[in-house]
Amino acid sequence: MRKVIIILFCSVITVFCADGQTEEIARLRDVYKQAADQNARLESYYELSYAVLQNSPEKGIGYSDTLEQLAKKAKDLRSLSRAEYLKGYALEELGKFDEALPHHKKELALALQTNDFELHGKAFNSLGSCFQNMARYDSAIVYLVRSAEIKEKVGNQKDLASAYANIGNVYSDQNVPDKAVEWLEKALAIRLSIPEGEKSAIFTYNNISVAYNGTGNYDKAIEYAQKGYELADKSGNNFLAGVLSGTLAHLWMQKSDYDKSIEMAENSIRILREANRESNLVFPYATLSEVLWRKGNYARSLQVNQEGFQIMEQLKLAEPLEEYYKNFANAYESLGNPGESILWLKKYMDFKDSLYTKENVAAIAEVETKYETQKKEAQLIRQDLELERQMHQKKNILLGAIAVLLGFVFIFQYLRFKQKTKQKEAELFAQLRLAETKKLKELDTIKSNFFANISHEFRTPLTLILSPVEQMINGSFKDDPQKYYRIIHQNGKRLLNLINQLLDLSKLESGKLKLQVSEGDLGKFINAVAGSFQSLAVRKEIDYQIEKPQLATKCFFDKDKVEKILVNLISNAFKFTEEGGKITVGATFTEGYIRMTVSDSGIGIPESQIPHIFERFTQSHPSEVQAGSGIGLALTKELTELHGGKITVESEEGKGTSFSVLLPVEKRFFNSGQIVEAAEVTILADENPMDFTKGVQIKEEGSPSMNEIFSPEDKPLLLLVEDNNDLRAYIAEIMSRDFKIIEAENGKQAIEKAIETMPDLVITDVMMPEMDGIEFCRLIKTNEKTSHVPVIMLTARAEQSDKFEGLETGADDYILKPFDARELKVRAANLISQREQLQKYYRRVLNTFSPAEVKVKSMDNAFMQKIKEAIEARLEDEQFNVVVLGQQIGMSRSQLHRKLSALTGFSPNEVIRNMRLERAKQLIEQKAGTVSEVAYLCGFSSPTYFIKCFREYFGSTPGQIS
């Protein structure tokens, strides 16, 4: 990895920044102003733009735009090409290689329209260099070699050396150090032989050092780096002297000469600071930190790494992040701070994973790149033929006949090459199709294996369910039915557990399973989860020990995820531990992390299987004893990593297995979007501890029975809405003892029946055709005629968000499938009982004549307020009756009867009469008139009938009250 860092380090050295650059720019500006003709002005402005660009790439772009305008005005193709070169060069200096590429392509296209072969060579070189910076090495080599061929013909030694050096750098980037050294040595020989070549030779010395470093020949690498450093120091180039000093620091570290490495690293930092090269300081800082750590100076290593990392963050640099992450991890670990070390190590691993992903993406695109390169080669050859033809014609005007003949030869070769190119393209396309076909076959095989494996896992519990049931149906069953009921029940729960695990894995892959961390007592939580297995340990005669963790009182953790992790690991331990064995569950807390361990003395895992134990559908042993779903541990690993943790396993075949889970449990490890309010958690403890479904503790003792609420002749009306015929029939059967039942297959049918019959209770499925349960519930609860009807929702959608969606529509209860029949009956009875309490409340509301008594908080409260106001307004009108009241409220007589009966327990006639009697009592107590006067004031046409009704309602006559 350090080799890559050195190459990246050296790749930033693209411009020689000599002293007095500001004076040079001023001089060039004067030359431009004094230029006599148009050509001189274009030439001098190009030199000025190039000098400005070296000092400030951003300003250079503006100068190149001006050069382009001047060139267009003069219709000078050569200057237009140069303007595109400057734009591309400036963008490359800013690291925007993708934006620079189109400008270099345009530069080449414009250059080829001229007869200036030096310009051709420069354009090919700049395009090849851009491809090199983009790591598209195949394309880079094509253009750079072409540039070298042209420069050899032109005889420009300076440019030829640059071309050789660029080719060498490409081979160095591609980890072909021998070829890199060959080309770079050729470049160095030329540069040392020409005037002022020493300036460029500094770069070449550095690049040869990098190439030798790639071969592992550190002595040669140090030799060339030292020569480059001495040359830079001699010429007064502080910037390059600082860079090469940093290179030497890294090389001496590789040779384990740490004192020399520290000396050169500190020297590099000093020189680069003096040269005001902040961005280049990050490399010697990284080297110095690593060397200090290797020497055992951990505190100083950490300090230096922090200084360099601060520069990276300020300048928003991407390289060398990997080295800084690794240095932080090493330093914190050596200083005894494992929490911080793990944090930085995770960043280091994530960074490496991202690089690996990028490398994979590049590898996938390799075929496409080669195909594109072949097309470019064909295009370049065609251009080359055209150039050669033009040159030959100019030099051999008198040999016209030979030129024509050569033209025919070239055309023939061109057509022949074109045919070969088409053939190669066809072959490449066929290869791509073949590769695509193979990939599809591999994907199909993976899918087939997946469905085969999961189908196999379903077959065992299905067999243990279907076989006893078939025996019972055909009458061949002779054994104890309770035994087989338990088998059927346990295997049904096992199927449910498999489905839940598959759904969890699916949600993890799609990113829908989110971390929901809340504050809680993790020690008590672990004890509660582990304690739920005590009864199982007793039945299996296993020595089961729970080592109570000594934890901070409050920790931050996702209770659902931690419970599933623990339950899965403990269940596995019980599954693979025979009677008389031992299982231990423990937890330790340190530096913001919890380490949970589950150890057993079971059959263990073969060593060859341990690396694959967390892969899906991997079973660690082929025996029946070890049979399992093959997804439990995969889910456990995924949940652990979702929580920011890590799971490991140690096992020895025949002696047992130990799983260890490390999880962060302090608030600082989680972002605000992952932290939610703490909620009560029900820990499962039943016959099958692997069941992750959240049950409700059903206590039938003390719960009201339907017979206590209603008489057998006056059963409440239940509207049952379910699209599955079998399930609807089953629910109807279990509820028929306590309810009169009407049925509907979907929400659309149900809403019509609900308005028509006004049921006492609704049980509805969520997912149904035409109208689902959510929409049906919303319509029920927003309709004044049916808003009072309690609704129970049944659904297989177990997500918290699904529950919230149902409850927000007004549902009174929410039960998950598969459900317990007792639970459904008890919850239904509770809702009916709650309605009785509501009836008492509304009776009191109707019998109270204080306007502040009723606060409108629901549709039912609003409805009762309307009833009360309507009756009070016509209280003395003896013609006021149920029909008139229904007209005012907007309901038929039957609808009003069912609504008021459900809310108050009284019929509409009784509600009107009772309100009149309550008002009469109030007037009599206030001595507002005689009994006869009060009777007429309250709507009674006969005082005798009034006295009779009063005695029946209050148990005494009006005279006794007055």
Side-chain angles (χ1 to χ4, degrees), residues 116 155 233 252 336 458 510 561 576 590 619 737 777 850:
D116 188 341
D233 186 57
W252 284 119
F458 283 163
S510 62
K561 311 300 185 299
F576 304 135
T590 178
Q619 298 176 1
R737 182 178 178 183
C777 182
S850 171

Side-chain angles (χ1 to χ4, degrees), residues 847-955:
N847 296 335
T848 304
F849 289 88
S850 171
E853 178 67 24
V854 180
K855 297 180 180 179
V856 178
K857 293 183 180 179
S858 69
M859 287 196 67
D860 290 339
N861 277 344
F863 173 77
M864 292 304 298
Q865 185 68 17
K866 286 169 63 178
I867 291 290
K868 182 178 179 182
E869 290 173 355
I871 296 175
E872 283 183 344
R874 303 284 295 274
L875 201 62
E876 61 185 27
D877 183 2
E878 64 183 54
Q879 301 299 321
F880 182 74
N881 55 26
V882 176
V883 175
V884 177
L885 177 60
Q887 290 173 348
Q888 290 189 0
I889 298 302
M891 290 186 181
S892 68
R893 182 169 184 166
S894 61
Q895 288 173 335
L896 183 62
H897 178 84
R898 293 197 64 83
K899 178 82 176 181
L900 278 177
S901 296
L903 288 176
T904 66
F906 292 130
S907 67
N909 271 324
E910 290 173 322
V911 168
I912 295 171
R913 186 196 63 184
N914 293 344
M915 283 191 67
R916 284 173 167 166
L917 290 171
E918 289 286 348
R919 181 60 172 165
K921 180 183 177 185
Q922 187 181 56
L923 292 173
I924 290 172
E925 288 174 343
Q926 294 173 357
K927 302 189 183 301
T930 65
V931 172
S932 298
E933 290 172 342
V934 168
Y936 292 125
L937 283 173
C938 293
F940 288 91
S941 58
S942 167
T944 304
Y945 177 67
F946 166 68
I947 294 171
K948 177 178 178 294
C949 292
F950 195 94
R951 184 188 299 112
E952 290 176 353
Y953 186 70
F954 290 111

